[in-house]
Amino acid sequence: MTGLFDGVAGILGDVFGDIVEYRRKGDAGWWPVQSTFRQAPISTTDSNGLEVLIIAPTWRVIRARVPDVKMDDQIRVGGVIYRVVNVHPTGSPAQDAQVLCELEEWDA
């Protein structure tokens, strides 16, 4: 059944997303990643199927583009650096499944 929707998340991310610079913890360089950054609160479903409100800035990206994303990795948007503080996989089996990262502004 997922075959019908495979590729939809990638298309939507490419259309509505933008380039965000990504850096793994400990790496020196930044990598451009097509994804979606939001500062406004969003509601999403947690791993138990419950609706939750996330008031922190968020970064939604296709898992395959950053397969090893984890806490303390960083993104840079408009010159501002954010640190990943939590990673929420969507649970989708699709090849273009997304991951949602909660962020905090980083001023190291």
Side-chain angles (χ1 to χ4, degrees):
M1 181 65 182
T2 63
L4 179 64
F5 299 103
D6 282 352
V8 173
I11 291 170
L12 291 174
D14 290 345
V15 170
F16 296 109
D18 205 355
I19 297 295
V20 170
E21 295 177 285
Y22 168 68
R23 176 169 65 187
R24 291 187 193 132
K25 180 181 178 182
D27 284 358
W30 294 93
W31 298 96
V33 178
Q34 182 75 22
S35 53
T36 307
F37 170 78
R38 297 282 182 258
Q39 286 185 307
I42 65 165
S43 66
T44 189
T45 306
D46 70 7
S47 60
N48 296 319
L50 300 173
E51 191 80 12
V52 295
L53 178 67
I54 299 176
I55 59 172
T58 56
W59 179 45
R60 188 179 301 268
V61 61
I62 294 174
R63 168 66 86 175
R65 293 181 180 167
V66 289
D68 300 323
V69 66
K70 59 186 173 303
M71 289 177 56
D72 295 326
D73 286 356
Q74 297 175 337
I75 68 165
R76 184 167 58 190
V77 179
V80 179
I81 297 175
Y82 297 87
R83 182 176 71 96
V84 175
V85 295
N86 205 349
V87 178
H88 302 279
T90 62
S92 170
Q95 289 182 344
D96 65 339
Q98 296 184 340
V99 62
L100 179 69
C101 299
E102 288 182 63
L103 308 168
E104 71 178 6
E105 196 168 326
W106 184 254
D107 55 350

